[in-house]
Amino acid sequence: MDDVFRALGDPSRRALLDRLNERNGQTLRELCAGLDMARQSVSKHLAVLEAANLVSTVWRGREKLHYVNAEPINAIADRWITQYDRRRAQVLADLKTALENPVSNSEFVYTTYINTTPERLWQALTDPAFTTRYWGVEFETDWTKGARMTWTESGQRIVDDEQVVVESDPYNRLAYTWHTYTPEWAGLAGVSEEDRAALFAEPRSTVTFTLEQQGPVVKLTVLHEGGERTLSGVRDGWPAIVSSMKSLLETGDVLPTA
């Protein structure tokens, strides 16, 4: 947390976070445009923000895209929120909300560090013995590129030809399309038919997990790309899912649910 507070203490770095909050997924060139800072200075500030886990990066071809990451703000709020007076707590809550809800409605990125191995984390992402514990979801697939996936949640099987594995590089990178918004799923989730139809009408979204070994821990980056309504839901869901998975891997127990 010391790194996070130091990173947030610089006005230039806060300005960069503001720019990413306005439009997530920018390149270094795009972030430099309109700023009264040299490219080298911007690059150094981004490196500090990335080291503090306030910014996540994703390579798309030759372009390195930068995203605001809400995870350290969540950690600050969880640890310190009760020790602040109401006014200060509201300021912190406003910052947390802003970082979790960027204006960009087509992509959501969440990064955390887990004390485990890439092999163990891959197992946690794919093995039903793990996914059912921290997520309540079971996948049926052979995890090869192009393979169809069947989702099972609360006893409801969701089968669709467009639910497929998009990318599978064991222990490094995994991507698959999101589940189908069926009437049965909507009934279990308490979603109205009007909202379900709106979700169903959006282009199918895709989630990508990138695993990077960094010393004794693994850096996990979750990138979810899709429609505005879908991402509005996963912005709340992914932090809870990933945090519970992290707890399971590091302590053997999932986080308690409300």
Side-chain angles (χ1 to χ4, degrees), residues 166-181:
V166 176
E167 187 175 356
S168 183
D169 179 9
Y171 320 131
N172 296 299
R173 191 175 174 88
L174 176 68
Y176 51 81
T177 56
W178 204 235
H179 67 76
T180 307
Y181 297 113

Side-chain angles (χ1 to χ4, degrees), residues 152-194:
T152 301
E153 183 175 5
S154 300
Q156 176 64 50
R157 297 179 79 248
I158 305 175
V159 182
D160 191 289
D161 287 341
E162 293 187 10
Q163 295 170 184
V164 297
V165 178
V166 176
E167 187 175 356
S168 183
D169 179 9
Y171 320 131
N172 296 299
R173 191 175 174 88
L174 176 68
Y176 51 81
T177 56
W178 204 235
H179 67 76
T180 307
Y181 297 113
T182 63
E184 293 78 11
W185 168 85
L188 288 171
V191 175
S192 69
E193 176 55 27
E194 181 182 359

Side-chain angles (χ1 to χ4, degrees), residues 18-212:
D18 286 339
R19 289 177 70 90
L20 287 175
N21 195 45
E22 292 171 2
R23 183 168 68 84
N24 236 346
Q26 296 188 58
T27 63
L28 175 60
R29 175 180 54 78
E30 290 171 325
L31 285 169
C32 289
L35 285 179
D36 188 22
M37 275 192 287
R39 182 185 178 93
Q40 185 177 13
S41 297
V42 175
S43 182
K44 288 182 178 179
H45 283 309
L46 286 172
V48 173
L49 291 169
E50 189 173 355
N53 202 22
L54 285 162
V55 166
S56 297
T57 58
V58 175
W59 283 95
R60 184 158 298 163
R62 295 185 177 182
E63 290 188 324
K64 185 179 183 181
L65 306 183
H66 300 80
Y67 295 85
V68 170
N69 180 43
E71 195 273 343
I73 302 301
N74 285 335
I76 289 174
D78 290 343
R79 179 171 178 180
W80 299 106
I81 194 73
T82 57
Q83 299 185 38
Y84 284 85
D85 61 35
R86 179 170 305 207
R87 182 178 177 184
R88 291 177 180 174
Q90 186 60 53
V91 170
L92 186 58
D94 288 346
L95 175 60
K96 176 175 179 284
T97 299
L99 291 178
E100 286 184 335
N101 296 279
V103 175
S104 173
N105 293 318
S106 62
E107 297 174 322
F108 173 76
V109 174
Y110 191 83
T111 298
T112 191
Y113 294 81
I114 304 176
N115 186 16
T116 189
T117 64
E119 294 79 7
R120 189 70 168 165
L121 180 51
W122 182 272
Q123 185 181 15
L125 291 169
T126 59
D127 189 336
F130 281 87
T131 59
T132 53
R133 287 194 64 189
Y134 67 81
W135 192 352
V137 173
E138 181 178 343
F139 302 110
E140 295 175 42
T141 183
D142 63 9
W143 296 110
T144 58
K145 183 177 181 179
R148 193 170 74 170
M149 300 176 65
T150 297
W151 293 54
T152 301
E153 183 175 5
S154 300
Q156 176 64 50
R157 297 179 79 248
I158 305 175
V159 182
D160 191 289
D161 287 341
E162 293 187 10
Q163 295 170 184
V164 297
V165 178
V166 176
E167 187 175 356
S168 183
D169 179 9
Y171 320 131
N172 296 299
R173 191 175 174 88
L174 176 68
Y176 51 81
T177 56
W178 204 235
H179 67 76
T180 307
Y181 297 113
T182 63
E184 293 78 11
W185 168 85
L188 288 171
V191 175
S192 69
E193 176 55 27
E194 181 182 359
D195 289 339
R196 185 202 70 81
L199 286 165
F200 188 79
E202 290 185 334
R204 191 176 295 268
S205 65
T206 301
V207 60
T208 302
F209 305 91
T210 302
L211 291 64
E212 302 173 71

Side-chain angles (χ1 to χ4, degrees), residues 114-125 130 133-134 211 218 220 242-255:
I114 304 176
N115 186 16
T116 189
T117 64
E119 294 79 7
R120 189 70 168 165
L121 180 51
W122 182 272
Q123 185 181 15
L125 291 169
F130 281 87
R133 287 194 64 189
Y134 67 81
L211 291 64
V218 179
L220 173 66
V242 173
S243 295
S244 195
M245 178 179 66
K246 173 182 169 73
S247 177
L248 178 59
L249 286 168
E250 293 183 341
T251 71
D253 291 315
V254 299
L255 295 178

